Amino acid sequence: MNYSIIRYILCRVLEFQALFLSLPCIAAVVYQEQEGWAYAAVLVCCLAAGVVGKLKKPKSKVFYAKEGFVTVSLSWILLSLTGALPLYLSGEFPSYTDALFETISGLTTTGASILPDVEALSQCNLFWRSFTHWIGGMGVLVLILAILPLAGGYNMHLMRAESPGPTVGKLVPRVKYTARNLYKMYVFLTVIQIVLLLVTGMSPFESMTLSFGTAGTGGFGVLNSSIGSYPMVSQAVITVFMILFGINFNVYYLLWRKKPMQALHHEEMRYYLGIIAAAVLLITMNIKGGFHSLLDAFHHAAFQVASIITTTGYSTADFNQWPEFSKFVLVLLMFVGACAGSTGGGIKVSRVVIMLKLVKNELSYLIHPKRVRQIHFENHVVNKDVLRSISVFFIAYAVIYGFSVLLISLDELDFTTNFTAVAATLNNIGPGLGQVGPAANFAVYSQPAKYVLMFDMLAGRLELFPLLLLFTPATWKRR
């Protein structure tokens, strides 16, 4: 284990955290809020720690997959611990645990909150909550690689550890330019949404914060009603952009390189859009009796399907009151998630499709044992290493899910609440059903249960294995 390079990267992360914290400081100045002193104090501490920690240069900049996974996990934990400090110091959160829950929920783009009254927060705290979504959406280490790439050609280990999905490839030959292209597309789509929301009549503050939440597929709102109080045209814009941010960014890169036919033939995207279309149709037909018109039912069904499958977590209606069929469809979408290579969470469409093809392949094998079979995805043969990693992912996912539900059940809440609370955190969605539905929050859980759910949020965002490696003794042995 190359501890010196890990320390060096973590100090870089602290410097970037100081940069991030400067934005809520500006918001506090604009809105003349005294809570800004908390952000300024933490900013100074992060900057000082980062600068001092970097004074001793690493003896070697060589690092491999193990160091990449550990560095990414520790970076997210460090960002969460420091990002929670200003929320707690501002006095608007009852405990550091609650502030940490909110920060981890923001950075992992989960959007689960412990706040009963969001509108009681200061503007700078509201801004920080939403901005953590934008930071976590694409990944802070991807941003660092885009601006300050490390020497030595080992950057891909960091990118693979932080990027969601079963496999990560380069858009261009050098990782630095891949990271830059990803952030260019990310910023471009975010700016477009901000402008469109401004056109629909939203204030600049609301346009920015809601766009941050949409881009990162996070879901923190600035009103207690989430998105329900905004006009239908604003909700429609957010619906479209939630779906767009749930698409693999490779599709946008192909469009940017003027390769529309390759983009349109992206297999995962077609499955993703097909699942959305089918779910919207089914739910619309199921809930139409509860709305004034079929158009209203379609609008709310489309918004909620987009919000759940992309794991954004915004809501325009309390779907906890919808028929059981519609609620079950939404729960299924919680597990499917968005596309690999997007800012969305969940298991990912690509994993689900490949696993279904694997099941089909096995059934065919039982009928014709001597026939040679290969699984194809995105016009490529899926190799055995990818199939093995996906299978192990599902096993680890099921084990973590089961233990999490078991542990939080000690709080004696009902099964629906516990089951969907873990689904909402492990898949980085936000609202669940029961006592953690869209009209409720996670304050009902005890502090130990909140730490279990915080672990789930981090594990879900980091695709399980980077975080699990921290608990493996062999990880910490020196080479």
Side-chain angles (χ1 to χ4, degrees):
M1 177 71 72
N2 187 347
Y3 289 101
S4 61
I5 190 62
I6 293 174
R7 170 187 53 78
Y8 182 79
I9 297 173
L10 290 179
C11 290
R12 281 277 179 91
V13 169
L14 282 173
E15 290 178 333
F16 270 79
Q17 180 74 313
L19 176 63
F20 299 147
L21 289 168
S22 65
L23 295 179
C25 285
I26 295 172
V29 171
V30 171
Y31 291 98
Q32 300 180 342
E33 295 173 331
Q34 62 179 5
E35 289 82 5
W37 73 267
Y39 289 94
V42 178
L43 183 158
V44 171
C45 292
C46 288
L47 184 61
V51 171
V52 172
K54 272 176 47 188
L55 293 178
K56 186 179 180 181
K57 301 294 182 182
K59 295 179 180 179
S60 170
K61 290 190 176 182
V62 175
F63 65 97
Y64 298 100
K66 181 170 71 172
E67 285 87 352
F69 284 124
V70 170
T71 301
V72 166
S73 296
L74 292 179
S75 296
W76 281 74
I77 292 172
L78 184 61
L79 284 169
S80 300
L81 293 172
T82 54
L85 284 172
L87 293 178
Y88 175 62
L89 294 174
S90 69
E92 296 188 341
F93 283 77
S95 68
Y96 180 74
T97 296
D98 286 344
L100 184 61
F101 185 97
E102 204 80 4
T103 305
I104 291 177
S105 181
L107 287 170
T108 58
T109 71
T110 303
S113 180
I114 51 84
L115 294 170
D117 185 8
V118 172
E119 296 175 35
L121 289 182
S122 57
Q123 299 294 95
C124 60
N125 277 341
L126 286 173
F127 182 90
W128 177 239
R129 287 170 78 247
S130 295
F131 188 61
T132 54
H133 284 331
W134 198 85
I135 296 169
M138 190 62 69
V140 67
L141 290 177
V142 175
L143 177 60
I144 292 176
L145 293 178
I147 300 175
L148 300 170
L150 299 169
Y154 303 97
N155 301 322
M156 200 63 190
H157 295 305
L158 290 176
M159 191 168 236
R160 284 197 177 111
E162 190 174 47
S163 300
T167 57
V168 174
K170 301 178 185 178
L171 300 180
V172 291
R174 297 186 65 181
V175 173
K176 175 179 68 174
Y177 296 117
T178 295
R180 286 182 181 175
N181 285 329
L182 286 172
Y183 258 95
K184 284 178 183 177
M185 292 180 281
Y186 190 47
V187 171
F188 176 75
L189 286 173
T190 305
V191 171
I192 293 297
Q193 185 184 354
I194 291 172
V195 172
L196 290 177
L197 289 179
L198 285 170
V199 171
T200 65
M202 278 194 189
S203 69
F205 182 82
E206 290 173 318
S207 299
M208 290 179 65
T209 52
L210 294 181
S211 294
F212 290 153
T214 307
T217 60
F220 278 152
V222 295
L223 299 178
N224 293 328
S225 59
S226 187
I227 311 298
S229 300
Y230 296 103
M232 187 174 287
V233 63
S234 299
Q235 296 174 359
V237 169
I238 293 173
T239 301
V240 171
F241 276 88
M242 285 191 293
I243 295 172
L244 291 178
F245 280 107
I247 292 174
N248 192 318
F249 273 65
N250 285 345
V251 173
Y252 301 128
Y253 180 74
L254 290 171
L255 291 174
W256 179 50
R257 293 297 302 271
K258 298 180 180 179
K259 298 178 180 179
M261 295 309 298
Q262 290 186 39
L264 292 175
H265 284 86
H266 194 272
E267 186 176 358
E268 185 182 25
M269 181 189 70
R270 288 187 281 115
Y271 277 111
Y272 165 73
L273 295 177
I275 292 169
I276 290 175
V280 170
L281 178 62
L282 290 171
I283 292 177
T284 300
M285 293 297 102
N286 189 235
I287 66 172
K288 62 182 180 179
F291 291 89
H292 297 298
S293 67
L294 186 63
L295 179 61
D296 278 347
F298 174 81
H299 169 77
H300 289 289
F303 186 96
Q304 218 53 69
V305 166
S307 179
I308 295 299
I309 195 171
T310 61
T311 71
T312 305
Y314 285 142
S315 61
T316 56
D318 185 4
F319 57 81
N320 201 29
Q321 305 300 319
W322 286 2
E324 293 300 316
F325 176 81
S326 294
K327 288 194 288 186
F328 184 72
V329 172
L330 292 177
V331 169
L332 289 178
L333 296 179
M334 289 181 182
F335 291 96
V336 174
C339 297
S342 70
T343 61
I347 290 172
K348 303 295 183 301
V349 172
S350 56
R351 283 196 182 99
V352 173
V353 171
I354 291 172
M355 283 301 291
L356 290 176
K357 288 186 176 184
L358 186 60
V359 171
K360 180 183 177 182
N361 211 29
E362 188 63 20
L363 292 174
S364 178
Y365 173 79
L366 294 174
I367 299 171
H368 303 288
K370 295 184 179 181
R371 182 181 297 175
V372 177
R373 297 163 191 80
Q374 291 179 321
I375 295 176
H376 291 80
F377 189 73
E378 302 290 4
N379 297 319
H380 296 288
V381 175
V382 181
N383 62 51
K384 291 183 178 179
D385 287 338
V386 173
L387 291 176
R388 177 188 54 79
S389 68
I390 291 175
S391 300
V392 173
F393 175 89
F394 273 94
I395 295 171
Y397 181 94
V399 171
I400 292 173
Y401 197 103
F403 269 105
S404 298
V405 173
L406 179 67
L407 290 172
I408 68 171
S409 294
L410 292 172
D411 279 8
E412 297 295 334
L413 298 179
D414 62 278
F415 178 76
T416 298
T417 297
N418 291 330
F419 186 86
T420 58
V422 175
T425 50
L426 189 56
N427 296 314
N428 305 131
I429 294 163
L433 297 174
Q435 296 184 56
V436 292
N441 57 71
F442 284 72
V444 293
Y445 281 106
S446 64
Q447 288 205 6
K450 287 175 183 174
Y451 279 101
V452 173
L453 297 174
M454 282 188 254
F455 174 87
D456 288 343
M457 288 189 278
L458 286 169
R461 174 57 181 83
L462 298 179
E463 306 274 289
L464 308 185
F465 298 113
L467 198 62
L468 292 179
L469 277 178
L470 296 182
F471 301 94
T472 306
T475 301
W476 304 100
K477 292 181 180 179
R478 294 184 180 274
R479 293 186 184 279

